[in-house]
Amino acid sequence: MNILVVDDEKEITDLIQIYLENENFTVYKYYSSQDVLRDIDDLKIDLAILDVMMPDMDGFSLCNTLRRKYKFPIIFVTAKVEDIDKINGLSIGADDYVTKPFQPLELVARVKAQLRRYKNYNEKEEKNEIDFRGIRINNDTREFYFNEKKIELTKTEFAILWELCLHKGNVVKSDDLFLKVWGEDYYKRDNNTIMVHIRHLREKMHDGGRNPKYIKKVYGVGYKIESKRQII
């Protein structure tokens, strides 16, 4: 993973680099905020460590500028220890604050913690929208697009399609669909319930016929939605 380190004190950036590279991070060192802004679009940064007191543009201003475009975690490392400075840093988008002098191993631990938190957040966020094979379905907005065309679904149709998309390429058992969509075991007595909704989904996706390309029935088990285009 790529870590951006910005500090006009070369000894500090060198020290941080040594400890981060020992943990197999790739480090990009900068001594000027303006140089960072010149190159940032070409770097794939996963986390930034910024000093506050820099000659050309202070860390607060740099953080504020980066936050307009990037969401990666930002940690301030600075000699400024006043509470108001910490509040200012966090309020403009920083994720953590370490004061000098600091223990390098503590900084590494904070870097790892922020990266874990950011990864977990992104994974949860990504699961709210699924995009593949012309299907784009968003569980937050409850919208479904098929080949860039918005298709209106009933609440039940959406719930079934969402569950199938979550497990794309794998079979979802009929019993599991019942529990996820209706949450009541008694619906299991009528397997035609799911079949009707599946048929309506296929019709709206123009994917009917004897050999549907998307939603397929696995007899005696359940349904699945193909994750890859089938080659005949």
Side-chain angles (χ1 to χ4, degrees):
M1 303 190 85
N2 299 327
I3 310 297
L4 173 67
V5 180
V6 189
D7 195 315
D8 61 333
E9 296 185 58
K10 187 177 184 300
E11 296 79 6
I12 296 293
T13 58
D14 289 346
L15 179 65
I16 294 174
Q17 180 182 24
I18 291 170
Y19 278 85
L20 288 176
E21 288 184 346
N22 282 341
E23 298 293 328
N24 297 317
F25 292 110
T26 299
V27 178
Y28 293 94
K29 296 189 299 183
Y30 284 83
Y31 310 110
S32 160
S33 295
Q34 295 296 342
D35 289 343
V36 172
L37 296 178
R38 179 197 63 207
D39 296 344
I40 189 65
D41 288 338
D42 298 323
L43 305 175
K44 294 183 179 180
I45 298 301
D46 297 294
L47 181 143
I49 299 172
L50 311 180
D51 183 32
V52 171
M53 301 301 293
M54 288 185 289
D56 56 348
M57 176 190 287
D58 65 40
F60 291 152
S61 299
L62 177 58
C63 176
N64 194 38
T65 302
L66 292 175
R67 273 290 172 258
R68 296 172 189 167
K69 188 172 182 180
Y70 299 100
K71 296 182 179 179
F72 51 71
I74 294 176
I75 300 175
F76 278 127
V77 177
T78 180
K80 295 173 72 68
V81 297
E82 291 83 357
D83 288 341
I84 189 62
D85 294 318
K86 295 182 181 180
I87 293 170
N88 286 339
L90 297 173
S91 66
I92 62 174
D95 299 276
D96 203 353
Y97 206 109
V98 179
T99 55
K100 300 176 183 177
F102 59 88
Q103 291 293 330
L105 290 177
E106 178 190 354
L107 178 60
V108 171
R110 291 182 182 235
V111 166
K112 290 181 176 179
Q114 288 298 329
L115 288 172
R116 282 196 303 270
R117 188 175 296 116
Y118 184 62
K119 179 182 178 182
N120 291 337
Y121 173 80
N122 279 347
E123 286 176 350
K124 291 178 182 177
E125 188 176 58
E126 287 171 3
K127 285 182 181 178
N128 287 332
E129 181 167 295
I130 300 172
D131 190 342
F132 70 104
R133 287 192 65 200
I135 290 173
R136 181 157 54 91
I137 184 169
N138 190 300
N139 199 36
D140 286 332
T141 62
R142 313 298 287 183
E143 291 178 327
F144 169 51
Y145 288 83
F146 184 61
N147 292 330
E148 301 303 322
K149 180 181 178 181
K150 186 175 181 179
I151 296 177
E152 298 297 333
L153 301 179
T154 67
K155 180 180 178 181
T156 301
E157 289 167 356
F158 185 95
I160 291 173
L161 183 59
W162 176 256
E163 194 64 25
L164 293 175
C165 288
L166 277 177
H167 300 86
K168 60 182 183 291
N170 299 309
V171 179
V172 180
K173 295 180 181 179
S174 296
D175 287 356
D176 291 339
L177 269 178
F178 275 119
L179 290 172
K180 287 289 185 180
V181 176
W182 287 277
E184 297 288 348
D185 288 344
Y186 68 82
Y187 276 105
K188 294 179 185 178
R189 292 179 293 183
D190 183 8
N191 286 327
N192 289 328
T193 304
I194 290 181
M195 290 175 57
V196 170
H197 291 292
I198 293 291
R199 186 177 73 246
H200 291 164
L201 279 170
R202 286 173 174 163
E203 290 172 353
K204 291 181 178 182
M205 296 169 68
H206 303 289
D207 190 39
R210 295 184 178 180
N211 187 29
K213 296 175 181 152
Y214 287 87
I215 303 175
K216 296 194 174 184
K217 182 175 182 178
V218 180
Y219 288 94
V221 183
Y223 295 87
K224 74 172 181 175
I225 190 163
E226 295 288 1
S227 60
K228 298 179 181 179
R229 197 174 302 278
Q230 301 298 298
I231 300 176
I232 300 175

